[in-house]
C-alpha cells in the first residue's frame, strides 16, 4: 500500500487483465467442433451462420465466462482466507467451504430438489457453504491460533466429503452416480447461459464483499489486538468475509463442482510479484485465478482423450508441481 | 490532548477477575509507567484501555467518554498501541509496515497522501529505522523489529500512546533511546502509557507510576513514592538497593523473599 509496490502493482494488474482477455478469446476458439476464425468473427458480429452462432453463444461463451468467474472467485477467496487466517495453507477447500457447497449441490440432485427450480441447486450449494463456514467460525473463530481453524476446517471438509460419498453409495442409479461424481471432480462441460446467470451474480457479490476488506487484512498481519487498535472492527470483518466466501464460492461451486488447488496456489504465485501485503494480492489473485482456470479449461478441450478430462483433475496435476517448485524457491522467506 | 480516567475499573477474563476496582487519572503531557509482577494485570489493563476488553464494572474514560461506547475507528485515532511480542504474519517491508499506522486515518480505498508519507517518514526517522526502509521486517534483528514496531505506533499520531513492554529485547543503548523518545513524546503533549519491568528506567523517565498488585492499585504517584522498599517487598516480594545519590535514582533488585513473607 506504499509507494514502490504501487508501481509494481500498476503493471501487474493490467498485465493479468490482458492475459485474462487473451484466455477468454482462446477459450472461445477451441472446442470439439472446428470452426474457422472468420466464421466465429461473423457470428460474434451477429451475421454468422446459425451453427457457428449457436456454438459460440450457447456453448463456448458461457463456458469461458464461467471459467473466468469461478477461477477468479477461487483465487480471490484463497487470497482473502490466507490473509484473514494469517496462514499460507488456507483456501476455500481446506476450510470445507467447497466440499460443503458441493454437498449442498449433491443433496439437491440426490433428493430431486434440483428439478423443482433452476435456482434450487445453487441455493443449496450456497447454503451448504454458509453452514460449513458458520460452524467453522463457531468452532474455532474465537481461538487465537489459526491452526485450530484449519483443523476444524479439515474436519468439516472430510465430513462433507463423507456426505457426498454417502450419496454416491446410496444413489439409485448409475446415471445419478455419474452426475454426483461430476461435482466431486469439477467441470465446466455443457454449461449454458442459465448457469452464467446463476454464478456470475454470486461471484460479483461475493468478490465485492471480499475486496472491501483489504485494509483490515493488512492490519491483521500485526495480529488481532493490533488490528483492532488500528480501527478494524473484527466482528464485522469476519461477517463480511463469511458472507463473501459463502456466497461467492457457493455460487461458483454450484455450477462448476469443487475445483481444488486454484485458491491455494494462485495467492502464492502472486505474492512475490507484490509487496506481499494481504491487500495487494486480492485483485491480482482474482485475475490470475481467472487466467489459470480458463487456461486449464481450454487445456482439457485440447488434450485428446476419450472422455473429456475433469477440470479439478487438471488443476491438481498442473497446480501441484508448480506449487511445489514455487515452495522450494520461496522457502527462504517462509 | 486526551486525558484518560479509569473509574472503578473491574475486568474479568472468562470467569476469572483480573482487575479489581482500579481508579486513576492520567493527564496529557505525562509518561506513565505501569508496573507490577507477572500476572498482576498489566496487559489486561492495556487491553481494557484500548477497549479490547469490556469492563465488568466501571469504565475507561477518554476525555470523559467511555471507550466502550466509541467505535473502533474513533479509539484508533485517539490511542496508538504498541503490542508486546511484535507479531508479524507476512514478510512485509519496513516501509509498508510503518505505513499501516496510517490506517485509522485513511478513508476506504483512498491511497496514502503526501501528508501521510511525510508522517511515515518522520516516524521512521524518530525511531531510527529510516535506513531499514527497504528491508523485510521479518528478517530484522529483535531490536530492529521492536523499533520498527515503535515507528508504526508513532505513525498513528494519536494523542495517546500505549506501549506494552517497549523495552523487551532491546540492548541497553536502545532501551535508553526508546525511553528518551517516549519521554519526548510526553513532553510534546501526548499521554504515553508504558508497561515496564525495569525499575530504574521507570524511576528515571516516568512522571508517574501505577503499581499493580494482584489486580488492584498497589500504589499510584511519583516514582520514588511508589517504589519504596516496603512496597517492593510487599508487591514484588523482593529486597532492593536504592541509590539516590546520582542525578536519578538507581533501584537494583537484590533478593527474593521467601513466599509468604
Amino acid at each position: 500500500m506504499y509507494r514502490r509496490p504501487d508501481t509494481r502493482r500498476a503493471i501487474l494488474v493490467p498485465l493479468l487483465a490482458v492475459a485474462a482477455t487473451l484466455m477468454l478469446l482462446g477459450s472461445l476458439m477451441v472446442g470439439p467442433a472446428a470452426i474457422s476464425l472468420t466464421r466465429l468473427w461473423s457470428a460474434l458480429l451477429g451475421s454468422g451462420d446459425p451453427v457457428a452462432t449457436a456454438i459460440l453463444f450457447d456453448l463456448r461463451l458461457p463456458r469461458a465466462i464461467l471459467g473466468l468467474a469461478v477461477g477468479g472467485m477461487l483465487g480471490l477467496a484463497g487470497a482473502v482466507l490466507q490473509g484473514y487466517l494469517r496462514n499460507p495453507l488456507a483456501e476455500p477447500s481446506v476450510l470445507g467451504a467447497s466440499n460443503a457447497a458441493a454437498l449442498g449441490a449433491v443433496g439437491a440432485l440426490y433428493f430431486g430438489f434440483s428439478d423443482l427450480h433452476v435456482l434450487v441447486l445453487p441455493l443449496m450449494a450456497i447454503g451448504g457453504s454458509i453452514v460449513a463456514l458458520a460452524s467453522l467460525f463457531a468452532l474455532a473463530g474465537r481461538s487465537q491460533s489459526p491452526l485450530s481453524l484449519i483443523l476444524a476446517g479439515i474436519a468439516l471438509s472430510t465430513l462433507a466429503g463423507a456426505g457426498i460419498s454417502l450419496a454416491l453409495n446410496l444413489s439409485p442409479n448409475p446415471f445419478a452416480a455419474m452426475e454426483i461424481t461430476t461435482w466431486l471432480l469439477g467441470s465446466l462441460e455443457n454449461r449454458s447461459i442459465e448457469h452464467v446467470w446463476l454464478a456470475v451474480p454470486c461471484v460479483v457479490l461475493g468478490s465485492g464483499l471480499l475486496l472491501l476488506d483489504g485494509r483490515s487484512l493488512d492490519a491483521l498481519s500485526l495480529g488481532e489486538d493490533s488490528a483492532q487498535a488500528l480501527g478494524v472492527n473484527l466482528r464485522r470483518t469476519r461477517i463480511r468475509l463469511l458472507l463473501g466466501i459463502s456466497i461467492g464460492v457457493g455460487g461458483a461451486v454450484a455450477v462448476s463442482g469443487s475445483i481444488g488447488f486454484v485458491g491455494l496456489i494462485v495467492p502464492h504465485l502472486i505474492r512475490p510479484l507484490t509487496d506481499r501485503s494481504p491487500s495487494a494480492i486480492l485483485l491480482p489473485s482474482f485475475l490470475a485465478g481467472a487466467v489459470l482456470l480458463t487456461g486449464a479449461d481450454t487445456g482439457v478441450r485440447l488434450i485428446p482423450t476419450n472422455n473429456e478430462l475433469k477440470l479439478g483433475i487438471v488443476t491438481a496435476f498442473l497446480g501441484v508441481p508448480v506449487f511445489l517448485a514455487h515452495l522450494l524457491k520461496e522457502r527462504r522467506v517462509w | 490532548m486526551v486525558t484518560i480516567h479509569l473509574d472503578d475499573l473491574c475486568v474479568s477474563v472468562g470467569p476469572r477477575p483480573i482487575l479489581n476496582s482500579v481508579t486513576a487519572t492520567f493527564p496529557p503531557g505525562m509518561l506513565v509507567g505501569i508496573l507490577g509482577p507477572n500476572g498482576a494485570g498489566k496487559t489486561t489493563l492495556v487491553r481494557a484501555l484500548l477497549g479490547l476488553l469490556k469492563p465488568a464494572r466501571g469504565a475507561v474514560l477518554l476525555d470523559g467518554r467511555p471507550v466502550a461506547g466509541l467505535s473502533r475507528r474513533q479509539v484508533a485515532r485517539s490511542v496508538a498501541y504498541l503490542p508486546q511480542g511484535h507479531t508479524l504474519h507476512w514478510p512485509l517491508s519496513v516501509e509498508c509496515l510503518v505505513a499501516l499506522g496510517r490506517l485509522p486515518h485513511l478513508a476506504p480505498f483512498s491511497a496514502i497522501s503526501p501528508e501521510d508519507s511525510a508522517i511515515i517518514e518522520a516516524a521512521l526517522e524518530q525511531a531510527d529505522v529510516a535506513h531499514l526502509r527497504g528491508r523485510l521486517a521479518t528478517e530484522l534483528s529483535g531490536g530492529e523489529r521492536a523499533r520498527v514496531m515503535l515507528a508504526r505506533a508513532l505513525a498513528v499520531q494519536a494523542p495517546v500512546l500505549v506501549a506494552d513492554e517497549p523495552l523487551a529485547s532491546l540492548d541497553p543503548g536502545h532501551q535508553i533511546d526508546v525511553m528518551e523518545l517516549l519521554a519526548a513524546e510526553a513532553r510534546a503533549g501526548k499521554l504515553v502509557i508504558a508497561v515496564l519491568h525495569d525499575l530504574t528506567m521507570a524511576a528515571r523517565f516516568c512522571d508517574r507510576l501505577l503499581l499493580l498488585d494482584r489486580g488492584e492499585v498497589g500504589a499510584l504517584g511519583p516514582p520514588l513514592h511508589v517504589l519504596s522498599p516496603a512496597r517492593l517487598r510487599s508487591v514484588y516480594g523482593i529486597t532492593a538497593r536504592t541509590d539516590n545519590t546520582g542525578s536519578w535514582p538507581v533501584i537494583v533488585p537484590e533478593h527474593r523473599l521467601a513466599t509468604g513473607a
Side-chain angles (χ1 to χ4, degrees):
Chain A
M1 61 178 288
Y2 194 54
R3 274 174 294 188
R4 273 176 302 119
D6 280 348
T7 59
R8 211 167 2 171
R9 192 165 179 269
I11 303 168
L12 184 63
V13 170
L15 217 59
L16 285 169
V18 168
T21 315
L22 291 178
M23 281 297 172
L24 172 71
L25 295 176
S27 172
L28 291 180
M29 281 187 250
V30 174
I35 308 174
S36 69
L37 284 183
T38 40
R39 273 177 77 195
L40 281 176
W41 182 245
S42 47
L44 194 64
L45 295 177
S47 57
D49 57 283
V51 177
T53 308
I55 287 178
L56 183 66
F57 286 103
D58 298 343
L59 295 175
R60 291 190 187 172
L61 190 63
R63 189 167 181 169
I65 293 175
L66 285 175
L68 292 174
V70 172
M73 190 63 230
L74 293 174
L76 175 63
V80 166
L81 280 171
Q82 289 182 10
Y84 177 70
L85 297 170
R86 288 146 280 155
N87 192 310
L89 288 174
E91 60 137 343
S93 66
V94 167
L95 294 185
S98 302
N99 261 1
L103 178 62
V106 167
L109 285 170
Y110 182 80
F111 293 109
F113 298 146
S114 54
D115 300 332
L116 299 176
H117 193 273
V118 279
L119 279 174
V120 170
L121 188 144
L123 285 178
M124 281 186 70
I126 295 167
S129 174
I130 288 180
V131 169
L133 276 163
S135 19
L136 190 66
F137 279 80
L139 279 170
R142 293 175 65 88
S143 160
Q144 284 289 318
S145 146
L147 196 60
S148 59
L149 195 47
I150 288 175
L151 287 175
I154 288 172
L156 284 170
S157 187
T158 311
L159 191 66
I164 297 171
S165 305
L166 182 69
L168 208 54
N169 196 173
L170 300 180
S171 67
N173 59 60
F175 179 74
M178 271 302 290
E179 189 84 343
I180 290 169
T181 314
T182 305
W183 293 96
L184 284 173
L185 302 177
S187 172
L188 290 174
E189 211 182 339
N190 299 328
R191 295 300 183 267
S192 65
I193 203 76
E194 282 80 28
H195 289 104
V196 173
W197 286 118
L198 292 175
V200 169
C202 291
V203 168
V204 168
L205 186 61
S207 23
L209 279 166
L210 297 181
L211 285 169
L212 281 178
D213 269 311
R215 288 266 168 76
S216 313
L217 296 180
D218 282 348
L220 269 170
S221 55
L222 296 168
E224 300 206 345
D225 275 4
S226 293
Q228 286 180 285
L230 283 170
V232 175
N233 187 325
L234 274 188
R235 186 152 20 115
R236 282 191 206 156
T237 299
R238 199 171 293 177
I239 289 169
R240 272 198 298 269
L241 294 188
L242 176 66
L243 286 176
I245 289 182
S246 310
I247 295 171
V249 173
V253 170
V255 299
S256 72
S258 67
I259 296 170
F261 298 103
V262 175
L264 176 67
I265 294 160
V266 164
H268 284 276
L269 296 179
I270 290 299
R271 204 168 279 123
L273 306 175
T274 67
D275 63 1
R276 294 175 189 274
S277 64
S279 67
I281 64 167
L282 296 186
L283 189 55
S285 291
F286 184 95
L287 293 170
V291 170
L292 192 74
L293 199 67
T294 318
D297 186 48
T298 311
V300 298
R301 281 176 277 171
L302 288 175
I303 300 166
T305 47
N306 286 336
N307 286 329
E308 190 177 292
L309 285 176
K310 295 293 180 219
L311 200 48
I313 300 172
V314 177
T315 56
F317 269 119
L318 276 179
V320 174
V322 173
F323 185 56
L324 287 177
H326 169 77
L327 273 191
L328 287 174
K329 207 176 71 192
E330 284 283 311
R331 206 166 37 181
R332 192 179 61 93
V333 189
W334 283 113
Chain B
M1 303 292 229
V2 168
T3 301
I4 288 187
H5 182 63
L6 308 177
D7 179 28
D8 187 29
L9 182 68
C10 302
V11 180
S12 302
V13 176
R16 222 155 51 91
I18 306 286
L19 291 178
N20 188 17
S21 195
V22 174
T23 298
T25 301
F26 306 135
M30 211 167 246
L31 173 52
V32 178
I34 295 178
L35 278 75
N38 297 132
K42 299 183 296 295
T43 297
T44 302
L45 178 61
V46 164
R47 299 190 74 216
L49 277 176
L50 292 160
L52 299 178
L53 290 173
K54 292 259 173 293
R57 201 178 75 213
V60 176
L61 303 169
L62 279 185
D63 274 342
R65 292 187 298 171
V67 168
L70 300 175
S71 75
R72 286 268 27 115
R73 210 170 156 84
Q74 282 171 306
V75 178
R77 286 177 181 182
S78 322
V79 187
Y81 172 49
L82 177 61
Q84 204 178 328
H86 315 306
T87 316
L88 182 62
H89 292 281
W90 300 107
L92 300 182
S93 74
V94 166
E95 220 168 27
C96 199
L97 177 58
V98 175
L100 288 178
R102 298 310 296 162
L103 281 184
H105 304 277
L106 292 179
F109 297 108
S110 65
I112 293 263
S113 71
E115 295 94 280
D116 290 317
S117 300
I119 291 166
I120 292 163
E121 203 55 39
L124 285 166
E125 294 287 344
Q126 247 182 311
D128 189 23
V129 288
H131 59 289
L132 302 173
R133 70 178 74 233
R135 298 268 302 276
L136 288 183
T138 40
E139 292 177 350
L140 302 175
S141 74
E144 286 170 330
R145 182 143 23 144
R147 283 180 289 136
V148 169
M149 291 295 179
L150 177 62
R152 206 271 302 147
L154 292 173
V156 180
Q157 290 219 314
V160 183
L161 170 61
V162 177
D164 197 352
E165 297 196 28
L167 302 185
S169 77
L170 290 182
D171 61 53
H174 280 115
Q175 289 193 14
I176 294 171
D177 284 350
V178 166
M179 286 312 289
E180 279 177 346
L181 203 156
L182 294 181
E185 288 287 296
R187 271 197 304 280
K190 282 192 191 180
L191 168 59
V192 182
I193 300 173
V195 173
L196 299 170
H197 276 300
D198 189 314
L199 303 177
T200 301
M201 284 290 187
R204 174 176 165 190
F205 286 101
C206 292
D207 302 300
R208 192 174 289 193
L209 295 181
L210 169 63
L211 179 63
L212 285 174
D213 181 13
R214 277 157 290 185
E216 299 186 359
V217 178
L220 174 66
L224 283 181
H225 163 77
V226 169
L227 298 176
S228 69
R231 265 202 203 90
L232 291 179
R233 202 175 308 127
S234 69
V235 176
Y236 282 100
I238 57 164
T239 60
R241 188 196 319 200
T242 307
D243 176 4
N244 282 324
T245 52
S247 2
W248 46 78
V250 175
I251 303 167
V252 184
E254 287 193 316
H255 299 290
R256 188 175 180 94
L257 301 169
T259 32

